[in-house]
Amino acid sequence: MRKPFRPEIAVVTGAGSGIGRGTAKALAARGAEVIVADINFATAKDTVAHIRSAGGSAVPYALDVADLPSLEAFADYVRTAHGVPDVVVNNAGIVVGGPFFDIRPADLHRIVDVNLMAIVHGSRLFGAQMAERGTGGQLVNVSSIAAFAAMRLGTPYCFTAAAVKQFSETLRVELAAQRIGVTVVCPGLIATNLAATASLATLSAEQVAITRQIVVKAMTLAGMHPDKAGRKIVAAAADNRAVMPLRLESLLAYWITRAFPGLVRAGMRLATGPEVERVIRFVIDHPGFVGVAREAAELMPQRPGLQTYWEPPEYDDPPPPPIPLRR
């Protein structure tokens, strides 16, 4: 039997924007003190300001989840300064795309470190704290619809998403006896800034900048609001769901892939095949494309009231963590 879901301490990584911010706000609304971690301290502080303005409790923390010593120091800080968390949401993620043979090894290492190994180590460090405490807890790992649907030109993103899903389901079996739940969330289209940090092979810097702006605007128009996504994620954690496909397209991909894997592979092959790539490449490499695309990106509408940027905001220098004063 699981105790009622009333988290006192919660940790969310990648909480400076998007799904992470929405989830941090939803946890704070449930009464949790939220440690808001993000590689960008400025956006982490902004999330904390949103939570405090709504009457919640939160503190910011600058963290590069891909740096294991920093992640270990963060876990120690949370336990010492705040206590063992009841909920940990491993959410930070990036996109690396393009033809697989053209992707730089450094970008491959980075996406594996951020999208996969940070979740592995975050689950290990905080899960061990929960196990030692002996009263259970909940780990939430954010993957993607890409865990089900293989997309050409998105190989690094897809295989890290699939690995997170399998890791989470396996860890769930292992930790069940210790009353530690593990939920893996596989979002579909959410209105986030994920594209703003994307690395895209074979595109020029200007093409990347234009693509980011168009994609982010399109996501604001078609995607689920990240606050709504956050509430759904927290509800899934409260129910200790094993796998949470988030949005209809993710749910459909989950079931259709299980029932008709060959059909899905054929469909993705047609949708993202080399024929499509050749057409797109012909267009974007045309001398007149950049000017037209830049103007189209500026004129393209976007959904108001969302945190949007086409390039990551400027970083600031975070102060050292405060001296622990309690617990």
Side-chain angles (χ1 to χ4, degrees):
M1 295 294 293
R2 290 173 55 83
K3 62 182 181 180
F5 187 78
R6 299 191 184 96
E8 295 183 7
I9 305 296
V11 170
V12 185
T13 65
S17 64
I19 293 174
R21 173 175 288 189
T23 306
K25 292 165 69 175
L27 285 164
R30 293 238 182 181
E33 179 185 29
V34 185
I35 293 85
V36 173
D38 198 277
I39 193 171
N40 191 314
F41 192 59
T43 57
K45 289 190 297 183
D46 193 38
T47 296
V48 168
H50 278 274
I51 290 173
R52 289 177 178 173
S53 68
S57 176
V59 294
Y61 194 100
L63 174 68
D64 181 356
V65 295
D67 182 64
L68 181 54
S70 296
L71 190 56
E72 291 172 336
F74 173 61
D76 288 340
Y77 159 75
V78 171
R79 178 173 54 187
T80 303
H82 301 276
V84 176
D86 303 296
V87 181
V88 173
V89 182
N90 294 301
N91 164 74
I94 60 173
V95 172
V96 172
F100 182 67
F101 296 143
D102 294 326
I103 295 173
R104 300 179 305 170
D107 288 334
L108 280 175
H109 281 289
R110 181 67 179 170
I111 193 172
V112 170
D113 287 343
V114 173
N115 290 17
L116 174 57
M117 295 312 299
I119 288 178
V120 170
H121 290 305
S123 299
R124 175 179 62 85
L125 294 166
F126 287 110
Q129 292 183 13
M130 294 174 181
E132 182 181 6
R133 179 179 61 182
T135 57
Q138 192 74 26
L139 300 171
V140 181
N141 297 329
V142 179
S143 177
S144 168
I145 186 178
F148 320 133
M151 296 177 285
R152 186 174 175 275
L153 306 183
T155 296
Y157 188 69
C158 289
F159 82 72
T160 53
V164 167
K165 176 180 174 293
Q166 186 64 23
F167 163 73
S168 301
E169 292 191 86
T170 305
L171 190 64
R172 177 183 175 88
V173 175
E174 181 170 341
L175 299 184
Q178 295 166 286
R179 291 186 295 168
I180 300 174
V182 182
T183 297
V184 60
V185 180
C186 300
L189 187 59
I190 312 295
T192 73
N193 291 301
L194 187 62
T197 56
S199 174
L200 304 172
T202 74
L203 296 184
S204 69
E206 189 167 18
Q207 288 172 333
V208 169
I210 294 170
T211 300
R212 285 172 171 171
Q213 183 173 2
I214 291 174
V215 171
V216 170
K217 283 187 173 182
M219 291 173 73
T220 68
L221 294 173
M224 177 185 289
H225 196 290
D227 286 356
K228 182 178 180 180
R231 292 191 294 270
K232 287 182 174 291
I233 289 171
V234 172
D239 293 338
N240 189 27
R241 290 187 58 175
V243 181
M244 169 63 173
L246 185 54
R247 273 188 51 119
L248 179 61
E249 65 270 17
S250 184
L251 182 64
L252 291 175
Y254 178 59
W255 287 111
I256 294 174
T257 302
R258 290 164 66 94
F260 308 103
L263 179 62
V264 173
R265 285 193 294 268
M268 296 306 294
R269 163 64 177 78
L270 291 174
T272 63
E275 299 83 4
V276 176
E277 181 188 359
R278 281 195 289 269
V279 172
I280 295 174
R281 176 58 65 181
F282 174 80
V283 173
I284 65 176
D285 286 342
H286 190 278
F289 167 79
V290 172
V292 173
R294 188 188 305 111
E295 183 176 354
E298 293 295 332
L299 295 175
M300 185 177 178
Q302 68 183 83
R303 185 174 170 185
L306 287 171
Q307 173 200 28
T308 54
Y309 49 82
W310 338 125
E311 298 290 340
E314 293 295 326
Y315 293 85
D316 62 357
D317 295 324
I323 298 173
L325 297 178
R326 60 185 178 84
R327 285 204 288 273

